[in-house]
Amino acid sequence: RTARQIQRSVLPHIFPPFPDRLEINLFASMDPAKDVGGDFYDFYFVDEDHLCLVIADVSGKGIPAALFMMLSKRILEDFARQEHSPGVILEKANKLLCENNQAEMFVTVWLGVLELDTGRLVAANAGHEYPVIKQSNGPFTLLKDKHGFVIGGMEGVKYKQYEMQMQPGSKLFIYTDGVPEATNASNEMFGTER
């Protein structure tokens, strides 16, 4: 119970998080399958006009995953505050996590940097689930972005980044594999397409 409380306390949990910033609306939640887990999300301004968005999933469960999650979260934030390029942030985080990874754990990460003034969102994906986007008047669409390798899994990986143009009213939904892999009473998975 204490580990769960500590883990929850390091994630943003006050909503709306930026009540004075009317150009965005954010909400996030985490409900681990066990008392503690390796999934996490984060968001923070790296300057007045750039908002970093992160969702990630550490391999494994329980206390080891929670510890690796807290380390990964901190490393990603430190690099995001120095660098606005999602691909470079993931490369630097991967290098650092690979240096002394005796537990051989890894993290899937989707990381995006949104420029609020223009709506330009630059993102990179390290083996994470596909994001879902809805432009203001369109349907929700699965964005099959280019995946790079997980971070912490292999040294020297390069991460491709891509751009999306967010418009007023656009919505972005990012999630971990707990959503498509959730099962019903008949043990059928919810699935990515649903």
Side-chain angles (χ1 to χ4, degrees):
R1 185 165 23 117
T2 302
R4 183 181 181 123
Q5 288 172 338
I6 291 168
Q7 186 177 37
R8 284 186 177 269
S9 72
V10 301
L11 300 178
H13 54 277
I14 296 171
F15 296 97
F18 312 111
D20 58 327
R21 301 300 299 255
L22 302 179
E23 61 269 60
I24 55 167
N25 186 9
L26 290 169
F27 182 76
S29 67
M30 184 183 78
D31 298 299
K34 297 191 174 201
D35 284 337
V36 291
D39 293 4
F40 69 93
Y41 62 85
D42 208 353
F43 47 83
Y44 36 83
F45 278 95
V46 292
D47 64 29
E48 280 297 308
D49 194 40
H50 291 88
L51 176 69
C52 185
L53 305 163
V54 179
I55 189 156
D57 184 3
V58 174
S59 60
K61 302 281 182 220
I63 298 291
L67 290 170
F68 204 74
M69 167 277 231
M70 293 180 80
L71 174 65
S72 302
K73 180 184 175 300
R74 184 78 243 163
I75 288 171
L76 286 164
E77 183 175 352
D78 286 348
F79 286 128
R81 292 195 182 280
Q82 301 168 25
E83 173 67 56
H84 289 185
S85 168
V88 174
I89 294 165
L90 293 181
E91 285 173 25
K92 289 181 175 182
N94 180 61
K95 182 178 186 301
L96 194 56
L97 285 173
C98 284
E99 281 179 1
N100 194 17
N101 187 0
Q102 294 177 4
E104 296 182 350
M105 298 183 85
F106 60 85
V107 191
T108 69
V109 182
W110 182 93
L111 187 145
V113 177
L114 175 63
E115 186 175 59
L116 292 174
D117 187 44
T118 64
R120 178 175 168 256
L121 176 66
V122 181
N125 192 329
H128 200 73
E129 299 293 322
Y130 294 122
V132 179
I133 184 123
K134 179 186 186 308
Q135 294 298 355
S136 51
N137 294 323
F140 281 97
T141 306
L142 197 66
L143 179 64
K144 295 200 173 177
D145 59 5
K146 295 208 183 250
H147 283 85
F149 197 65
V150 297
I151 65 171
M154 182 172 62
E155 291 182 30
V157 177
K158 301 288 184 198
Y159 296 91
K160 293 184 188 223
Q161 52 190 45
Y162 60 94
E163 292 185 22
M164 292 184 278
Q165 186 61 46
M166 304 296 283
Q167 304 291 339
S170 294
K171 293 179 172 64
L172 175 67
F173 176 69
I174 46 178
Y175 54 95
T176 64
D177 61 5
V179 174
E181 293 178 6
T183 56
N184 62 16
S186 303
N187 212 27
E188 299 166 326
M189 285 193 195
F190 187 74
T192 302
E193 292 304 320
R194 287 177 67 194

